[in-house]
Amino acid sequence: MSIELDFPEFPYEEPPGWITCQHKPWNGVLVRVDHIPFKTGDKVTFDITVCSDTTRQTSTAKNQGVVSITADTTCASYTIPWDGVLDAVTDGSITAFYTLTPVDGSEPSTSEAATVRYSRQQPGGAVCGPGN
């Protein structure tokens, strides 16, 4: 029996709806799921798409992270990596969804996608990165 899944969230959006240089994306961007009854042994697969536009039409980088649940919990998180993913886009969007594969062998469930704007553009045109 599959369960209804909540949207993933980007808990450090700043300002709301945005991941910017203030977030220091070169340290990774956290995506999290709360309020889901995860069981020890469940697997949560986060699918990430970084687009170079805000309409999610121009996919620039994709990433998938698998999180193994090690204890019963209601929260799972994954840090989107910088190298080859977040560094691939200067201005655009990040979309994330996840699939829960229950340890009991029941049918996997997939969430709806959540999107956040992503920009490394600074006032004056400079682009932020790990060296600045």
Side-chain angles (χ1 to χ4, degrees):
M1 179 173 143
S2 64
I3 62 170
E4 188 170 328
L5 300 180
D6 199 4
F7 287 87
E9 59 186 47
F10 298 91
Y12 299 111
E13 298 173 47
E14 185 61 40
W18 286 80
I19 299 293
T20 64
C21 294
Q22 290 177 327
H23 183 269
K24 299 180 181 175
W26 47 91
N27 293 328
V29 170
L30 185 69
V31 61
R32 179 174 62 200
V33 179
D34 279 326
H35 312 296
I36 302 294
F38 297 114
K39 299 292 182 196
T40 303
D42 285 351
K43 294 213 181 309
V44 181
T45 303
F46 289 91
D47 284 281
I48 310 299
T49 302
V50 181
C51 295
S52 59
D53 62 358
T54 58
T55 61
R56 302 183 336 199
Q57 299 298 312
T58 309
S59 174
T60 303
K62 291 186 179 237
N63 180 257
Q64 189 175 71
V66 178
V67 176
S68 295
I69 304 299
T70 58
D72 290 1
T73 185
T74 59
C75 180
S77 60
Y78 173 70
T79 301
I80 303 166
W82 170 255
D83 290 332
V85 182
L86 296 171
D87 66 344
V89 171
T90 300
D91 192 50
S93 61
I94 302 170
T95 300
F97 69 90
Y98 63 98
T99 301
L100 167 62
T101 305
V103 68
D104 67 8
S106 59
E107 190 71 26
S109 300
T110 300
S111 75
E112 295 290 325
T115 300
V116 66
R117 287 285 317 265
Y118 175 62
S119 181
R120 297 190 297 124
Q121 285 294 151
Q122 296 181 1
V127 175
C128 68
N132 57 357

